[in-house]
Amino acid sequence: MNIPILIAGILSLIAFFAHAFIGDTEYKQLKPASDSKEKIKETWVQVRSGWHWVSVDLLLTSVLFMVLAISDFIQAKYEVLLLLSIYYFVTGVVWLCTVFVSKNNSKQLFVLGQWIFCFIISALVYYGNLVNA
């Protein structure tokens, strides 16, 4: 059993539940009024759909991490884990850059700190992959 990869899976699963259920509840509060412009309503639906696309990413990567951590079902563990580590690292960089150029105040870098989660997952997966090699 690969403990760092299992921890990454558990953290991703927790993030999935928070994102899909708690986050969506908060997101529903931003729904535009029925008399809003069509483009605003369309954009809200599109962004909400994107929100849940991230939820799916979190769910599927958490399942994949757990399968890789506790079984030999997937033979190309090193390659899959390397790709997932790169994926979370790049996602963290993009998130951090986007928040940095879009922020209204410095506090938002940490309030909107999902990039920290991405870097932690990337590091756990990278380390777990080294242990596995």
Side-chain angles (χ1 to χ4, degrees):
M1 181 176 308
N2 190 317
I3 300 301
I5 304 301
L6 184 61
I7 291 169
I10 292 167
L11 289 174
S12 295
L13 188 61
I14 292 167
F16 159 74
F17 283 109
H19 199 271
F21 299 105
I22 297 169
D24 187 61
T25 300
E26 292 174 354
Y27 197 79
K28 286 179 189 175
Q29 296 173 357
L30 300 174
K31 184 176 183 177
S34 58
D35 60 345
S36 297
K37 292 181 181 179
E38 281 305 309
K39 185 63 179 170
I40 291 172
K41 292 188 283 188
E42 181 182 299
T43 300
W44 182 83
V45 171
Q46 183 176 7
V47 174
R48 185 172 184 214
S49 298
W51 179 270
H52 285 294
W53 188 335
V54 174
S55 297
V56 170
D57 280 355
L58 289 167
L59 177 62
L60 293 180
T61 58
S62 68
V63 169
L64 187 53
F65 287 143
M66 290 185 208
V67 167
L68 289 164
I70 64 174
S71 78
D72 290 323
F73 180 73
I74 297 172
Q75 297 301 310
K77 283 186 180 186
Y78 179 83
E79 293 82 2
V80 171
L81 289 170
L82 181 61
L83 289 172
L84 287 168
S85 179
I86 292 168
Y87 171 78
Y88 272 93
F89 181 80
V90 171
T91 302
V93 169
V94 169
W95 186 278
L96 176 59
C97 291
T98 302
V99 171
F100 186 79
V101 300
S102 305
K103 67 181 173 37
N104 297 314
N105 59 59
S106 297
K107 182 179 163 185
Q108 287 179 324
L109 283 174
F110 296 101
V111 172
L112 303 172
Q114 286 86 333
W115 56 273
I116 299 168
F117 169 81
C118 290
F119 289 156
I120 289 169
I121 296 297
S122 178
L124 282 167
V125 173
Y126 185 79
Y127 175 71
N129 208 15
L130 290 178
V131 171
N132 220 25

